[in-house]
Amino acid sequence: MAGVKKRFVIPEEIRVEVEEKGGFERIIKELPRDEIRMVAKVMNTLSDPQRVKILYALKRQRMCVCMLRKVIGSSYSRCSYHLSKLKKGGLVHSERLGNYFIYSLTPFGKSIVKHFKKYRPEVRT
Amino acid sequence: MAGVKKRFVIPEEIRVEVEEKGGFERIIKELPRDEIRMVAKVMNTLSDPQRVKILYALKRQRMCVCMLRKVIGSSYSRCSYHLSKLKKGGLVHSERLGNYFIYSLTPFGKSIVKHFKKYRPEVRT
DNA sequence: CAAGTATTTAAAAAATTTTTGAAATATTTA
DNA sequence: TAAATATTTCAAAAATTTTTTAAATACTTG
């Protein structure tokens, strides 16, 4: 009949474990929604190798856009697009120096770059 | 004239810093290409809030697909799509239990989830 | 073995992201 | 002030990712 919700069944072996933790609904309710959103946002900002490369380069040395575009091998506008994403994500910031814009890591950007090594599968423990 | 490469100019203030580090070319050459590729890959796998949510849920409790799809509120096939991405990224693995597939974090997956808190801007130091 | 359940796969459609190329800005220099 | 330089912005095109729907698998149970 229409509108009948089919009850879903958790396999026995798993249900035991779930009950020990206060039930499925509770596990769901206790997920840290804000943290999840933030993590996904940062991950998304860095989901492109060129943007990650920019971050690595800036970790070593602040640079103007004409340098950064050499680093990733791209046009100005492409580089600018990536930089604006990184900026919107709060990872880099820029200041004008004459005709140039000098980009560098924000404290937040630095704190993240610091943990990059965690993302090498070699680290599997 | 055609084919003339325009030499790019690094602003004075920056060039001093760059020379101290052995020059621009060297900075570029020493970027850890493999690490950059790996970082971007992991970030890319987790660039979606639903996938991050799955990881958080699995950190707490191994689950079958019918549970995970409730967690993220989606259809089977959508959930399956995300799971296959996570699997391809080496973050989760699955084992059959009768009619069910039970998903859980790989050691690599666990090692990464462990560092999620780093990705909250509140952590800015 | 037929029917039911859980899940995956495949293909097409929809949505999002990235790239490109041209034009707009702002600053410096002649 | 005109010309040159560095960079951004915008809109269209191209590429990629995600969603949807339907069909295919594989296991379990009657």
Side-chain angles (χ1 to χ4, degrees), chain B residues 5 9 15 21 25-26 30 38-39 41 43 45-46 58 61 69-70 79-80 85 98 100 118-119 124-125:
Chain B
K5 267 186 197 161
V9 182
R15 202 171 60 218
K21 289 167 186 155
E25 297 304 331
R26 177 160 178 192
E30 287 179 350
M38 286 311 310
V39 170
K41 191 186 168 193
M43 297 281 174
T45 301
L46 292 173
L58 292 182
Q61 169 65 50
R69 84 195 194 90
K70 299 269 173 191
C79 191
S80 199
K85 277 216 130 183
Y100 299 82
K118 307 282 157 35
Y119 297 95
R124 296 182 197 213
T125 38

Side-chain angles (χ1 to χ4, degrees), chain A residues 36-62:
Chain A
I36 288 170
R37 208 184 48 249
M38 286 311 312
V39 170
K41 191 186 168 193
V42 173
M43 296 282 176
N44 190 58
T45 301
L46 292 173
S47 61
D48 178 301
Q50 299 193 147
R51 290 198 287 272
V52 175
K53 201 169 192 177
I54 288 173
L55 236 64
Y56 268 89
L58 291 181
K59 171 191 178 190
R60 194 75 182 110
Q61 168 67 48
R62 62 188 180 136

Side-chain angles (χ1 to χ4, degrees), chain A residues 64-66 76-77 80 99-101 103:
Chain A
C64 61
V65 184
C66 59
Y76 263 115
S77 64
S80 200
N99 231 339
Y100 299 80
F101 276 95
Y103 279 81

Side-chain angles (χ1 to χ4, degrees), chain A residues 56 119-122, chain B residues 31-40:
Chain A
Y56 268 89
Y119 296 95
R120 309 198 59 176
E122 287 74 30
Chain B
L31 291 175
R33 310 171 109 281
D34 288 358
E35 188 169 327
I36 288 170
R37 207 184 50 250
M38 286 311 310
V39 170

Side-chain angles (χ1 to χ4, degrees), chain A residues 11 14, chain B residues 58 62-68 76 79-80 83 87 93-104:
Chain A
I14 303 294
Chain B
L58 292 182
R62 62 189 180 135
M63 298 184 184
C64 62
V65 183
C66 59
M67 294 169 80
L68 287 169
Y76 263 114
C79 191
S80 199
L83 288 170
K87 207 174 201 173
H93 104 295
S94 69
E95 55 179 327
R96 189 184 268 275
L97 175 65
N99 232 342
Y100 299 82
F101 276 95
I102 310 299
Y103 278 82
S104 49

Side-chain angles (χ1 to χ4, degrees), chain A residues 103-114:
Chain A
Y103 279 81
S104 49
L105 297 182
T106 60
F108 180 49
K110 278 181 202 156
S111 82
I112 282 176
V113 172
K114 202 171 292 176

